[in-house]
Amino acid sequence: GGWDYGSSVRANQHAYPTAGAKRASVVHDATTPQPWQLRDASGKVVASGKTQVKGDDAMTRDHVHLVDFSSYRKAGSGYRIAVGDQVSHPFDITAKPYDKLRRDALQYFYHNRSGIPVEAKYVGDAYARPAGHVGVAPNTGDTAVPCLPGECDYTLDVSGGWYDAGDHGKYVVNGALAAWQLMDLYERSLYRLDLEGLRDGLLAIPERDNRVPDVLDEARWEVEFLLKMQVPAGQPLAGMAHHKIHDLAWTPHPTLPHADAQPRYLHAPSTAATLNLAAAGAQCARIWKLWDPAFAQKCLTAAEKAWEAAGANPAKFAPREDSVGGGPYDDTDVSDEFSWAAAELYATTGKREYLGRVTTQLTSAGFSWKDTGALADLTIVRLPHRFPVDRVLAARSRVLKVADGHLRDLRSQGYPNPSKPADGQYAWGSTSATTNAAMVMATAYDLSLKREYSDAVLESMDYLLGRNGLNQSFVSGYGENASRNQHHRHWANQLDPKLPNPPAGSLAGGPNSGLQDPVAQQNLPGCAPAKCYIDEIGSYSTNEVAINWNSSLAWIAAFADTR
Ligand code: 9MR
């Protein structure tokens, strides 16, 4: 104990929508309802009422009350909720609160591109940097990368793609998931006629005037890299995907990508990486048919080759110990990856052989880079015209049922997190469990148009943006007390004042009961699960960023304004 989280009134520190749920949480010992006020920027009371006593919250060990001011609908900025002598951080009320966050969360990917300069004309002087890993000294470059000694005798050009997170590694497993989530966001925009989501010029990227939706341009930057990670024909394990490419040893903080002098290696192919390439490749083939048929064909060929290679090598697992200079992304159960890849391949090709291999279902456990089985159901309901109707109906009812569970979990807690871990522990990257659960509820909304699901997505946003046990917005640039020191080798202002803080729209991994880094261990002993977080650059286990977390944030930010 002994931590000070500021005001006991916890609101979304960014903004609430004029139409939709507007709620706040309050830490208060009282067992009876307390008076609350909504004050405008001048301090005038514009609405008032009594709190609802929610009671003890297990994940934070706070005693919590709720404030509901949903019926107040006047747009403005500088609003605050007051209870007794405690006042929340200020917030806006506006028609489309997440318009800018959608763009910022997607712009994150350009910032983290490898193999291309990040230019001031797109991101401003503070964030501009030279291209990383293009073979300009001291880089060895990613254009002719060898395997770890003894693993193979070829080199591959694996330039491009996105850096995973705060490190300079590039990993196929979570890279494919992040690319999938951006491509799925595109397909949602397409089928729901969300024109903003289809816009060329949505982002500040070099491809902004090429008549292709920018979200697809950004996804393609990663898909091209994934394709390069495939073992070439004629080699042993042809068609498999190398698990990852990264530095021999961890570089110090800060190190900008172009200044990384470490030798880089391809790590052995894995079945999981191969199947994730198959999944994202099949999705790419379907999507680019409209925009670039030659690229679509390239994706399809790679995806089908990957599927075959994984079938012939069904148990090549990346070792957990391979965690020096890069993350392990280890996984020894790939039945879920087989199923997800099969769903994507069936959706794109209609070949019966794939349908029989779709064996997984969405459950309350959700999905992550390690557990991709649930994504099969999301693909089925995204593309109902491509699957047998019985499959569609079954997937649909699972989405609604699992979303109902998330809704119950959100409502049962003092703070609106739709992800309530069964083991009572918050995991590494817990904010992405929140965003991924929100994505399931958003999908339930798309299937049913029931307001309770979209309201729950908005409340999940509240949780991420400050309505939590820490009074902390986990998204940089959004909220008076927002994370600003996420673990990153370039956005390292905390270590070097000449370097920038993370750009707006970067999602911190968030509370993690595991405390797997020294900074967390030193500062957070005895923390309640939902409070095991510290906004320090050294706390990589609670405060890193990652592509597969920001992809999920971008997805729900886009949803939140296009309900
Ligand atoms: O997101 C990953 C999390 O699920 C794992 O528990 C953790 C430890 O293996 O690794 C996380 O991914 C990190 C990767 O290993 C290295 N680059 C940064 C990633 C985000 O922290």
Side-chain angles (χ1 to χ4, degrees):
W3 295 286
D4 178 12
Y5 302 114
S7 172
S8 57
V9 185
R10 311 289 168 73
N12 179 324
Q13 296 170 20
H14 168 57
Y16 291 91
T18 43
K22 285 181 276 295
R23 299 193 179 108
S25 299
V26 186
V27 189
H28 204 297
D29 287 341
T31 51
T32 52
Q34 301 295 305
W36 60 262
Q37 298 178 332
L38 172 65
R39 298 180 186 161
D40 70 11
S42 73
K44 191 174 119 205
V45 178
V46 294
S48 60
K50 286 235 165 142
T51 63
Q52 178 203 332
V53 183
K54 191 71 199 164
D56 289 326
D57 179 72
M59 293 297 163
T60 54
R61 302 179 203 140
D62 287 343
H63 189 261
V64 182
H65 291 218
L66 299 182
V67 172
D68 191 334
F69 58 108
S70 302
S71 57
Y72 186 82
R73 298 168 74 109
K74 191 161 171 256
S77 59
Y79 287 106
R80 295 174 194 263
I81 297 284
V83 175
D85 63 353
Q86 297 288 298
V87 186
S88 74
H89 286 297
F91 52 82
D92 296 352
I93 296 178
T94 177
K96 287 197 178 293
Y98 298 113
D99 196 42
K100 180 171 177 292
L101 179 56
R102 169 214 297 237
R103 278 180 277 121
D104 285 344
L106 287 171
Q107 190 71 32
Y108 168 97
F109 294 92
Y110 174 68
H111 281 283
N112 288 289
R113 282 191 194 184
S114 179
I116 191 173
V118 176
E119 294 184 68
K121 66 177 168 188
Y122 304 120
V123 296
D125 289 334
Y127 291 102
R129 61 166 175 82
H133 302 102
V134 286
V136 175
N139 277 181
T140 56
D142 284 353
T143 46
V145 182
C147 291
L148 282 170
E151 296 264 6
C152 76
D153 50 21
Y154 51 84
T155 62
L156 290 182
D157 174 358
V158 293
S159 54
W162 303 314
Y163 298 117
D164 178 52
D167 57 9
H168 295 151
K170 304 190 291 193
Y171 314 92
V172 170
V173 163
N174 73 316
L177 172 59
W180 178 88
Q181 230 162 4
L182 296 195
M183 289 190 275
D184 184 67
L185 177 54
Y186 159 81
E187 282 193 312
R188 177 178 186 271
S189 299
L190 187 65
Y191 293 123
R192 297 192 63 86
L193 294 181
D194 162 30
L195 300 186
E196 178 71 357
L198 300 174
R199 197 154 66 82
D200 184 29
L202 179 71
L203 303 177
I205 56 176
E207 303 83 2
R208 66 181 168 188
D209 289 315
N210 68 353
R211 300 179 180 219
V212 174
D214 281 350
V215 65
L216 284 188
D217 289 324
E218 197 52 66
R220 181 172 178 162
W221 187 260
E222 180 72 0
V223 173
E224 298 264 19
F225 158 73
L226 299 173
L227 297 174
K228 292 176 178 177
M229 291 290 277
Q230 195 162 32
V231 178
Q235 299 293 344
L237 299 177
M240 295 286 282
H242 285 278
H243 191 67
K244 54 180 185 169
I245 177 241
H246 61 72
D247 293 344
L248 184 60
W250 291 110
T251 54
H253 278 248
T255 297
L256 266 66
H258 69 282
D260 173 10
Q262 281 286 318
R264 288 158 77 80
Y265 293 98
L266 294 166
H267 291 238
S270 72
T271 310
T274 304
L275 289 165
N276 284 15
L277 168 64
Q283 184 193 26
C284 159
R286 164 173 89 235
I287 288 172
W288 263 276
K289 234 174 167 171
L290 194 62
W291 303 100
D292 181 346
F295 182 57
Q297 186 54 52
K298 197 175 160 193
C299 282
L300 185 60
T301 305
E304 294 210 283
K305 271 197 190 137
W307 172 263
E308 267 179 47
N313 302 278
K316 279 195 65 65
F317 303 134
R320 187 178 186 168
E321 304 71 46
D322 188 5
S323 61
V324 177
Y329 287 108
D330 53 306
D331 185 1
T332 51
D333 179 354
V334 295
S335 53
D336 49 322
E337 281 81 7
F338 269 108
S339 175
W340 176 40
E344 282 295 342
L345 281 159
Y346 181 75
T348 298
T349 67
K351 290 186 189 161
R352 301 291 307 178
E353 64 194 85
Y354 294 123
L355 189 59
R357 302 295 301 273
V358 182
T359 56
T360 50
Q361 305 184 342
L362 176 67
T363 69
S364 60
F367 64 91
S368 66
W369 63 264
K370 198 178 196 126
D371 295 299
T372 60
L375 299 172
D377 273 349
L378 296 185
T379 296
I380 293 170
V381 298
R382 168 74 57 235
L383 302 155
H385 52 298
R386 302 212 185 215
F387 285 85
V389 71
D390 58 316
R391 290 284 193 136
V392 177
L393 294 176
R396 179 184 192 276
S397 69
R398 284 192 291 270
V399 170
L400 298 179
K401 192 172 146 233
V402 170
D404 287 341
H406 289 315
L407 240 172
R408 270 198 306 279
D409 283 346
L410 181 150
R411 287 191 182 149
S412 73
Q413 303 187 83
Y415 305 100
N417 189 348
S419 159
K420 191 180 176 191
D423 63 359
Q425 301 295 308
Y426 271 45
W428 192 318
S430 69
T431 56
S432 72
T434 303
T435 52
N436 287 342
M439 182 181 170
V440 171
M441 297 192 299
T443 304
Y445 174 80
D446 284 346
L447 293 170
S448 68
L449 299 181
K450 278 195 188 147
R451 183 67 175 264
E452 53 185 359
Y453 295 126
S454 58
D455 275 349
V457 176
L458 292 170
E459 289 204 67
S460 307
M461 279 294 196
D462 296 348
Y463 168 81
L464 296 169
L465 296 169
R467 193 182 149 199
N468 53 52
L470 298 146
N471 203 12
Q472 175 83 38
S473 165
F474 299 113
V475 181
S476 53
Y478 287 79
E480 213 169 49
N481 184 38
S483 300
R484 55 198 312 275
N485 296 310
Q486 287 99 320
H487 185 82
H488 196 275
R489 276 172 172 69
H490 174 199
W491 305 330
N493 180 270
Q494 201 181 16
L495 302 174
D496 177 351
K498 290 191 292 299
L499 292 173
N501 290 98
S506 305
L507 177 65
N512 170 10
S513 346
L515 305 182
Q516 288 104 325
D517 69 74
V519 175
Q521 282 156 12
Q522 212 165 74
N523 290 282
L524 303 168
C527 52
K531 291 182 174 173
C532 298
Y533 171 81
I534 184 164
D535 185 25
E536 285 283 328
I537 194 162
S539 183
Y540 51 85
S541 76
T542 79
N543 204 30
E544 194 156 355
V545 289
I547 50 176
N548 53 308
W549 306 340
N550 244 76
S551 57
S552 185
L553 175 66
W555 199 108
I556 64 163
F559 171 88
D561 270 356
T562 57
R563 294 164 280 139

